[in-house]
Amino acid sequence: MTEQSSNQMWGGRFAAGPDAIMEAINASIGFDKRMAAQDIAGSRAHAAMLAATGVITDSDAEAIREGLLTVLSEIERGEFQFSTALEDIHMNVEARLKEIIGEPAGRLHTGRSRNDQVATDFKLWVRDQLDAAESGLLALIRALLAQAEAGADWVMPGFTHLQTAQPVTWGHHMMAYVEMFGRDLSRVRDARARMNECPLGAAALAGTSFPIDRHMTAQALGFDRPAANSLDAVSDRDFALEFLSVASICAVHLSRFAEELVIWSSAQFRFVTLSDRFSTGSSIMPQKKNPDAAELIRAKVGRIFGANTALMMVMKGLPLAYSKDMQEDKEQVFDAADNWMLALAAMEGMVKDMTANRDSLAAAAGSGFSTATDLADWLVRVLGLPFRDAHHVTGSLVAMAEKKGCDLPDLTLEDMQSVHAGITQDVYSVLGVDNSVNSRQSYGGTAPDQVRAQIARWKEMLP
Ligand code: ARG
C-alpha cells in the first residue's frame, strides 16, 4: 500500500496516512453524505451560538455562515467533490469550508466533536423521516376511509383460520386496517416527541469548558430541549432503534394487508381488481395480471425488521460513550426508511385505485354456512335453548345442508323441523347475509351503522 500524508483534520500526531483498507473500512462518506443538509444546519446553529456567547467573533461567524451556504449549494447542484480520505460528511464539509473561507473555518469545531455532531445530524435526519412517515400514514388512512365509506354496507365473508366464519362488511374490514395504521401513526408521533432532545454541545462525551449555550442551539434546530446528559447524548441511538421498531410494526401491518390483496385479487377470489397502474404482466402468460406491488410490500418487512435486528445487535453491549461501531447505524436506517416510505406510498396508490367487486364479495359472503351462528343465536333467543344445545342443533342442520349440497337458507322448514320440532318460519329472517351483518350492532361490530360511526370518529380525529 502506498503511504499517504496524514489526515488533515486529525493527523497531527500521525507520521503516515492510513492503509487503503483502513480507509475503506473507516470511511462513511459513501452513505452519510445523505445527511449533508442536516450537517450544515447543525454547523450553522453551532456557529451562530459560538458568536452569541462570545466564543468566536461575529465576523468569523458570518464568514462561516456564508461559506456553509456555498457548500450546501455546491452539494445540491451535484458539484461537490466528496473525498473518502476525509472519512465522513462532517470532515468533508469542514474541509471544503476551509478552502472557501480560510482560517475562520478552523474555529467552527470549537466546543463540539464529531460525536455530538453525528448524533445531532442523524437525529435531524430520522426526525424528517418520522414526519414523512406521518404524512404517508395519513394519506393511506384517508384512502382506506374512502374505500370504507363507499362500501360501508357491502357484505363479504369474514374469516378465521382463513375459513369462512361470519359475514362482515367491506367497510368494517377496511376500518380494521385504519385502526392498525392509526396506532402506527400514534407510535410515530410518540417516537418523535421522545427523541426530540438535542445532543449538540455534549462534545466528545464530557461537555466542554467553553461557555456554550445548548438551549440556543437546541431551539435553533427545532428540538424541544438539549439532551440532559452528555455521555448519554453522544452514545444514545434509541431514537434510531425506536424508528426501526415503529417501522417494523407498521411493515407487519402493511404485509398483512398486502397478503390479503394478493389473495383477494386471485381468480379464485375475485374480491378486488387492482388497477393497471399497480399491477404487472407476465412475459409468457398473456392473461396474467400480477399483484407485484402487493407482493413487494409483503416482502419489505423482511429488510425493515432485518435493519431493526442489525442495529439492536450493533448497540448491544457497547460501553459508554461513543464507539465507532455506531457508524453502522446509518445504512440500516437509510435503507429501512427508504423502503418504508416506498411501501406506504405504494399501498396508498393501490388502495386508492382498487375496485372492490361487490357481487363477488356478496356471493362469497353467503357461502360456507356463514350464517350458522345467526341460526344458533335464533334458537337461543326465540326457543330459549342453551347456547351449547343450539350449537349442536345448528351443527346437524349444517351437516344436512352439506349432504344436500345447498346452503342453510335453502333447507325447507320440514328439513329444519326434522332436527328440532320447535323451529318456525321466522328462522329465515336471520339466515340472510344482510340480516346477519345488520344484527351485529354491538360497539365496534360489523353492522353498517357501526362502521359509519367508526368512519365518522376517524374523520373527526384526522387533521
Ligand atoms: N462517521 C462517524 C459516525 O458516523 C462520525 C463520528 C466519528 N467520531 C469519531 N470520534 N471518530 O459515527
Side-chain angles (χ1 to χ4, degrees):
M1 300 289 148
T2 53
E3 262 188 15
Q4 300 175 333
S5 57
S6 67
N7 187 290
Q8 58 172 296
M9 292 292 165
W10 46 251
R13 61 164 291 183
F14 286 72
D19 188 278
I21 291 175
M22 177 61 211
E23 195 172 282
I25 195 172
N26 197 35
S28 54
I29 188 63
F31 47 87
D32 68 14
K33 61 180 163 208
R34 285 189 72 169
M35 305 193 306
Q38 288 77 9
D39 192 70
I40 289 170
S43 288
R44 286 182 56 189
H46 186 66
M49 179 278 290
L50 290 178
T53 52
V55 178
I56 64 173
T57 64
D58 287 343
S59 68
D60 280 350
E62 184 51 25
I64 290 169
R65 194 186 77 85
E66 284 189 7
L68 286 171
L69 288 176
T70 305
V71 175
L72 182 62
S73 80
E74 286 177 1
I75 291 172
E76 283 172 350
R77 287 200 306 269
E79 289 165 6
F80 192 93
Q81 294 291 322
F82 292 102
S83 147
T84 311
L86 288 165
E87 284 183 37
D88 56 26
I89 186 62
H90 324 294
M91 297 205 295
N92 268 268
V93 168
E94 196 185 317
R96 179 68 188 130
L97 182 68
K98 181 131 193 268
E99 283 172 9
I100 300 170
I101 67 167
E103 195 244 288
R107 302 188 190 281
L108 172 60
H109 214 52
T110 316
R112 80 170 184 188
S113 146
R114 274 190 293 155
N115 297 349
D116 58 338
Q117 201 180 351
V118 72
T120 305
D121 294 3
F122 196 33
K123 264 196 172 180
L124 291 172
W125 197 91
V126 169
R127 196 176 71 186
D128 285 349
Q129 295 300 309
L130 286 169
D131 292 342
E134 167 157 8
S135 309
L137 280 163
L138 283 169
L140 175 55
I141 288 171
R142 289 207 178 87
L144 286 163
L145 282 171
Q147 284 285 354
E149 238 176 344
D153 58 356
W154 299 356
V155 290
M156 67 179 282
F159 299 92
T160 59
H161 315 268
L162 197 56
Q163 308 287 324
T164 301
Q166 296 172 354
V168 296
T169 46
W170 171 258
H172 195 216
H173 203 116
M174 293 298 108
M175 291 308 292
Y177 282 103
V178 168
E179 292 293 330
M180 286 178 244
F181 294 123
R183 286 192 298 276
D184 291 333
L185 181 63
S186 98
R187 270 185 282 273
V188 164
R189 289 170 174 165
D190 285 353
R192 191 191 196 285
R194 194 164 17 258
M195 64 97 80
N196 206 25
E197 296 184 339
C198 186
L200 196 59
L205 74 168
T208 174
S209 56
F210 291 101
I212 61 169
D213 182 349
R214 291 193 57 209
H215 293 273
M216 183 179 166
T217 40
Q219 198 186 6
L221 294 168
F223 287 104
D224 295 328
R225 61 192 84 83
N229 180 300
S230 64
L231 287 167
D232 175 53
V234 292
S235 58
D236 159 37
R237 292 295 180 275
D238 295 9
F239 64 92
L241 292 172
E242 195 167 354
F243 175 80
L244 293 173
S245 308
V246 171
S248 295
I249 296 174
C250 180
V252 167
H253 292 154
L254 287 166
S255 78
R256 296 182 72 175
F257 193 28
E259 165 75 349
E260 297 208 302
L261 293 180
V262 170
I263 296 172
W264 291 355
S265 62
S266 68
Q268 289 70 23
F269 272 75
R270 290 186 199 284
F271 282 8
V272 296
T273 307
L274 300 176
S275 73
D276 288 356
R277 300 195 321 147
F278 284 93
S279 311
T280 56
S282 158
S283 52
I284 175 166
M285 297 165 281
Q287 85 284 9
K288 294 277 303 260
K289 188 165 154 187
N290 294 328
D292 291 33
E295 295 167 273
L296 287 162
I297 292 169
R298 186 171 61 183
K300 291 296 183 196
V301 65
R303 62 203 284 177
I304 293 172
F305 191 73
N308 190 12
T309 309
L311 188 55
M312 288 281 184
M313 290 306 100
V314 167
M315 295 309 296
K316 177 196 168 293
L318 278 189
L320 299 189
Y322 177 85
S323 295
K324 197 64 173 258
D325 309 48
M326 290 159 71
Q327 179 167 286
E328 290 288 317
D329 55 3
K330 285 166 215 67
E331 281 172 293
Q332 300 295 342
V333 170
F334 291 166
D335 186 73
D338 290 345
N339 284 284
W340 185 21
M341 299 317 144
L342 188 56
L344 282 171
M347 187 58 97
E348 186 216 342
M350 266 197 303
V351 172
K352 258 187 176 163
D353 277 18
M354 76 182 176
T355 317
N357 303 326
R358 193 177 176 176
D359 295 339
S360 312
L361 290 169
S367 69
F369 312 110
S370 66
T371 54
T373 315
D374 299 275
L375 175 53
D377 288 351
W378 183 90
L379 293 167
V380 170
R381 207 172 46 246
V382 179
L383 302 188
L385 263 57
F387 184 79
R388 282 295 157 218
D389 297 349
H391 188 284
H392 195 79
V393 169
T394 307
S396 306
L397 288 166
V398 166
M400 179 186 279
E402 203 161 35
K403 208 156 138 204
K404 293 193 164 197
C406 68
D407 254 317
L408 284 174
D410 306 323
L411 291 174
T412 65
L413 188 55
E414 267 181 1
D415 291 335
M416 301 253 194
Q417 287 171 341
S418 73
V419 175
H420 193 286
I423 298 178
T424 64
Q425 186 67 33
D426 180 59
V427 77
Y428 291 98
S429 71
V430 301
L431 292 184
V433 167
D434 286 299
N435 294 328
S436 171
V437 296
N438 277 318
S439 71
R440 300 276 191 275
Q441 290 287 350
S442 53
Y443 181 83
T446 205
D449 292 346
Q450 286 300 324
V451 172
R452 290 194 183 99
Q454 292 174 38
I455 296 170
R457 185 178 142 266
W458 269 101
K459 281 188 151 176
E460 214 167 279
M461 277 174 356
L462 287 181

